[in-house]
Amino acid sequence: MKPKPIVVGLAMYALVVSFSLSGLSLSVEPIGGTLFGVAREFVYDQSVSTNYKLSELDWRFQPIVYYGVDVKLTTATGLVAEVSGKSGLSGRTGIMEDSDFQNATYTAGGQEVKTLYSQSDNYLERALLAHANLGYRFDAGSGFSITPLASIHYMNMKWTARDGYTQYPIATPSQTGYYYNSSGTLVTGDLPAWSSSLPETPLYGPAVIYRQRYIIPAAGLEVSYTPVKPIEITASIAYSPIVSAQTVDDHVMRQLTFTDTFSGGTYLEPAIDIRYVPNDRFSARLGASYTMITGLVGTTSWQNDGSTSTFPDVQYLAGSAGASTAARGGGASFNAWDILLSFRVSM
């Protein structure tokens, strides 16, 4: 049965009246800040051992400078709704380190033996971060308030590794990485281990393009305390055991693309803000938070188009065209400190 128009009209009227009686407060807060951290991508070979790390790329950003806006709606009854968005400024943000572990052997400390290493300048192409919160604020007395929150977070980051150098140990013709013999037995490799004293062979042009995209539903808790006006201190934490993510790694010179999909992992973000509130319409905030996304292991697919790429001073002949998919063949993580400064104007 379709609802009668008069019923819909009365419901909408009641909703508008209840909000107006609740006393809506809308604030718009310009944001500026920096992110310091590292995004990591992993290639695993589960046939060697659980999560054997065949390759690791560390995309370090020190820092990403961003700008954004935070819009917050509150009612006198305690309902809180917030939407925030940030955009990073493109440019060089640090270095990218690429390490390979091709021997399927471990050091005495249980770490994979590193056999190849390269380093490039890390350029940010895109950084979009957004979240939406919905919660209810309870007055706990003595200057305290508590707000349980439900939220959803979105992150979309893209970097390009350019120039730099490689440090590859010189192997003899008989030395090779690990392989499986005709009977299916693992034969460990005997490639020379990497050393920081190895000569550096320069690279030119773009080498790798990497993208991470996250969608994270989370639950959180926010505790605010006003020790003395006009100072307000807020501590919060958000957590999720459900991280949906996709990463794309384009090895430009090799004409090789890896695509990973993840569902699972852990997201954790503690934060603290100190806010100066001289009156009801204006406030300034200094905040710090730490974002950790870890435990992502998922399906990886690779595609090689088999073509030849030519860059200034470098020509690379790609391998034969082909494609493949490996379960639990890839991984990712993200760790970052966020320092922000903002100003709020309420209406």
Side-chain angles (χ1 to χ4, degrees):
M1 179 183 295
K2 292 184 178 180
K4 300 294 185 181
I6 189 170
V7 175
V8 176
L10 288 173
M12 294 179 65
Y13 176 77
L15 184 63
V16 171
V17 169
S18 65
F19 269 80
S20 63
L21 292 177
S22 299
L24 291 175
S25 175
L26 177 68
S27 65
V28 180
E29 189 169 354
I31 300 170
T34 57
L35 289 171
F36 297 83
V38 58
R40 290 187 169 93
E41 57 173 313
F42 305 98
V43 177
Y44 296 123
D45 188 340
Q46 303 292 347
S47 68
V48 175
S49 62
T50 301
N51 291 348
Y52 177 79
K53 186 171 60 179
L54 181 59
S55 182
E56 176 181 338
L57 285 79
D58 299 337
W59 298 82
R60 302 185 183 279
F61 41 94
Q62 294 99 10
I64 293 174
V65 178
Y66 67 81
Y67 62 93
V69 65
D70 183 277
V71 180
K72 191 171 187 178
L73 181 69
T74 60
T75 72
T77 59
L79 183 67
V80 179
E82 179 185 19
V83 177
S84 178
K86 303 172 183 176
S87 179
L89 300 179
S90 60
R92 186 178 183 275
T93 61
I95 61 171
M96 188 279 284
E97 297 177 288
D98 185 352
S99 303
D100 289 343
F101 310 85
Q102 297 183 342
N103 281 341
T105 54
Y106 295 89
T107 66
Q111 298 295 315
E112 295 87 347
V113 174
K114 185 185 297 188
T115 55
L116 303 177
Y117 175 80
S118 66
Q119 184 182 122
S120 300
D121 292 332
N122 184 16
Y123 286 83
L124 178 70
E125 308 290 349
R126 177 175 64 241
L128 298 173
L129 303 95
H131 72 262
N133 292 335
L134 183 64
Y136 199 89
R137 180 168 178 158
F138 298 91
D139 186 359
S142 301
F144 284 93
S145 67
I146 300 174
T147 308
L149 295 167
S151 61
I152 187 162
H153 300 256
Y154 174 79
M155 294 170 51
N156 191 328
M157 318 285 284
K158 179 181 178 181
W159 297 273
T160 296
R162 300 174 182 269
D163 306 326
Y165 63 88
T166 63
Q167 285 183 311
Y168 292 174
I170 299 175
T172 66
S174 63
Q175 291 177 310
T176 183
Y178 74 90
Y179 64 94
Y180 290 86
N181 62 22
S182 58
S183 62
T185 302
L186 173 66
V187 179
T188 57
D190 58 356
L191 293 173
W194 170 81
S195 168
S196 60
S197 62
L198 287 168
E200 300 175 359
T201 302
L203 290 171
Y204 302 97
V208 184
I209 301 172
Y210 184 56
R211 284 157 281 182
Q212 285 189 342
R213 185 181 66 187
Y214 295 96
I215 299 177
I216 308 168
L221 185 67
E222 182 179 281
V223 178
S224 296
Y225 175 57
T226 305
V228 59
K229 292 185 177 181
I231 301 298
E232 180 180 290
I233 301 172
T234 300
S236 66
I237 190 166
Y239 168 78
S240 176
I242 306 170
V243 179
S244 176
Q246 183 184 62
T247 68
V248 180
D249 176 325
D250 292 327
H251 279 66
V252 181
M253 293 183 180
R254 300 170 61 191
Q255 298 294 293
L256 183 62
T257 301
F258 296 87
T259 302
D260 300 328
T261 55
F262 308 104
S263 57
T266 300
Y267 162 81
L268 185 66
E269 183 175 346
I272 188 167
D273 294 337
I274 300 176
R275 188 179 291 275
Y276 174 70
V277 191
N279 55 58
D280 293 337
R281 294 189 175 275
F282 175 82
S283 67
R285 173 177 55 143
L286 178 64
S289 64
Y290 180 72
T291 300
M292 181 183 70
I293 301 172
T294 188
L296 292 174
V297 181
T299 300
T300 184
S301 300
W302 64 265
Q303 175 72 47
N304 191 331
D305 69 9
S307 64
T308 299
S309 295
T310 302
F311 291 84
D313 303 317
V314 175
Q315 186 178 54
Y316 185 89
L317 299 178
S320 58
S324 182
T325 298
R328 298 182 61 82
S333 68
F334 183 90
N335 301 82
W337 285 98
D338 185 344
I339 309 297
L340 69 84
L341 180 65
S342 65
F343 301 91
R344 175 180 293 177
V345 180
S346 302
M347 295 179 285

